[in-house]
Amino acid sequence: MNRPIDARPFPRPRASGASCLSEGNHCPGGFAPLPGRQSEKRPAVDTASAPLRCWRSGIPFKIGQPKKQIVPKTVERDFEREYGKLQQLEDQTKKLQKDMKKSTDADLAMSKSAVKISSDLLSNPLCEQDPVFLEMVTAFDTAMKRMDSFNQEKVNQIQKTVIEPLKKFSSVFPSLNMAVKRREQTLQDYKRLQSKVEKYEEKEKTGPVLAKLHQAREELRPVKEDFEAKNKQLLEEMPKFYSSRIDYFKPSFESLVRAQVVYYTEMHKIFGDLTAQIDEPGLSDEQRERENEAKLSELRALSIVADD
């Protein structure tokens, strides 16, 4: 036998955040009981256990989360944007410092290797037997030592005016990150105490409840002021810190360019002088290459290096 259709309207959805455990007839989001089952008895529910799950929706309540919007979404987005820019700046600064260190280490290794090569050539027995070759190698060795000296000056300049400032700039970020962490900790305390205040505001206004409400508000007030001060300071100073990076780094990179210009200008002079000392006039690169090939062919024609 079909049951008659219950023509009564569904209950209205409750206001956002209302407990679904207080009346036992519907849950958050407006979910209503099925028609014809209004008379079903539900077990008695202790409303003090509201942080447990809503029976019928399965949605867990957030413990300690206030209903009131503490930080406007636009403010929170601004904060996340500015802090995200500083996090990216921190990563880029560390990477640049590391790359500059690798570059200067490679420069030093190059000039030291060149000096080692020229020193090995000077100790070669050929230099004792051929005065002309000895003169050429001596000129080469002198040039390599001059190059190494100027390279060392360049690296010292870069270390002092670029790498050290980068290192000092990076050392600021831990303090910044700690300030953001303290702001987040204060925000969590603010939310917890605000939720506590709201809980007492929703209770029946008895003497003990009013006393606890007053106490909760007194606990909330200094935490709220502390958070607002920290939040305001960070929102004001993070953009300033980010904007200051150009003025801070500009002198360093101007110094980097000057150091490179001085170094390569000296290298042009050094190798120009070296070329004038060891170069045979009147011979083109093609002619030198043909001469080398002819001499190599003579060596290959010797019986001791002939192929079996």
Side-chain angles (χ1 to χ4, degrees):
M1 179 176 178
N2 295 331
R3 298 178 63 177
I5 297 176
D6 190 341
R8 290 176 297 174
F10 287 2
R12 287 180 175 273
R14 298 181 65 82
S16 174
S19 172
C20 67
L21 302 177
S22 58
E23 297 180 6
N25 59 355
H26 60 280
C27 294
F31 292 104
L34 295 175
R37 297 194 178 185
Q38 305 291 344
S39 60
E40 288 187 9
K41 299 296 183 180
R42 297 288 179 189
V45 178
D46 179 10
T47 56
S49 62
L52 301 176
R53 293 178 181 273
C54 173
W55 279 22
R56 308 177 76 180
S57 68
I59 302 173
F61 285 90
K62 293 182 179 179
I63 300 175
Q65 292 297 321
K67 299 173 185 177
K68 179 181 177 181
Q69 183 73 38
I70 290 180
V71 183
K73 292 182 179 179
T74 54
V75 174
E76 196 64 31
R77 282 197 298 267
D78 290 344
F79 184 89
E80 291 174 357
R81 183 186 65 250
E82 294 301 329
Y83 186 48
K85 287 160 62 176
L86 292 180
Q87 287 178 307
Q88 185 181 26
L89 178 61
E90 180 182 12
D91 293 339
Q92 292 173 339
T93 303
K94 289 179 179 178
K95 184 178 183 301
L96 184 57
Q97 179 187 345
K98 185 177 179 180
D99 290 343
M100 288 300 304
K101 185 66 169 59
K102 286 182 178 179
S103 176
T104 53
D105 288 346
D107 282 349
L108 287 176
M110 178 274 298
S111 61
K112 296 300 180 185
S113 296
V115 172
K116 180 67 166 55
I117 291 172
S118 65
S119 177
D120 290 344
L121 285 173
L122 275 177
S123 63
N124 193 298
L126 285 175
C127 292
E128 300 176 0
Q129 303 172 6
D130 191 334
V132 176
F133 184 63
L134 175 60
E135 184 179 352
M136 293 174 61
V137 172
T138 301
F140 178 68
D141 182 62
T142 301
M144 294 304 99
K145 289 177 179 177
R146 290 178 62 195
M147 178 186 72
D148 183 52
S149 176
F150 280 110
N151 192 41
Q152 185 65 59
E153 291 181 8
K154 179 193 71 173
V155 168
N156 290 341
Q157 183 72 7
I158 293 174
Q159 178 69 31
K160 181 180 178 180
T161 61
V162 181
I163 296 178
E164 287 299 327
L166 284 171
K167 186 177 179 181
K168 291 178 181 178
F169 192 79
S170 295
S171 68
V172 177
F173 288 100
S175 298
L176 170 66
N177 294 330
M178 183 56 65
V180 173
K181 184 178 180 181
R182 285 195 294 265
R183 182 251 190 198
E184 180 61 26
Q185 291 172 340
T186 307
L187 176 59
Q188 296 307 315
D189 291 340
Y190 184 7
K191 288 181 177 180
R192 176 178 56 81
L193 293 172
Q194 178 64 35
S195 178
K196 185 177 179 181
V197 168
E198 291 174 358
K199 183 182 72 172
Y200 289 125
E201 287 176 341
E202 293 174 354
K203 288 182 176 291
E204 184 180 354
K205 300 300 186 291
T206 63
V209 170
L210 290 175
K212 291 179 180 179
L213 175 60
H214 176 74
Q215 182 181 357
R217 285 173 175 169
E218 288 300 307
E219 292 176 359
L220 173 64
R221 182 172 51 80
V223 175
K224 177 183 177 182
E225 293 174 354
D226 187 28
F227 169 76
E228 290 176 347
K230 286 182 169 67
N231 191 57
K232 181 181 178 182
Q233 183 182 30
L234 284 168
L235 284 174
E236 289 178 353
E237 295 186 359
M238 285 194 298
K240 293 179 182 179
F241 180 81
Y242 185 77
S243 298
S244 69
R245 73 197 188 284
I246 297 176
D247 292 337
Y248 183 85
F249 287 127
K250 188 176 179 181
S252 294
F253 290 103
E254 288 176 350
S255 178
L256 173 63
V257 172
R258 286 195 297 269
Q260 299 283 10
V261 169
V262 170
Y263 173 74
Y264 285 108
T265 299
E266 292 299 330
M267 291 307 99
H268 182 269
K269 295 178 181 178
I270 289 171
F271 284 94
D273 294 343
L274 178 61
T275 301
Q277 293 180 60
I278 67 175
D279 196 16
E280 296 182 14
L283 291 178
S284 65
D285 291 340
E286 291 78 8
Q287 289 173 324
R288 290 191 179 91
E289 186 175 353
R290 286 196 295 270
E291 285 189 1
N292 287 338
E293 286 295 332
K295 292 175 181 177
L296 183 59
S297 297
E298 293 177 4
L299 292 174
R300 287 172 177 167
L302 298 175
S303 59
I304 59 174
V305 297
D307 295 335
D308 293 336

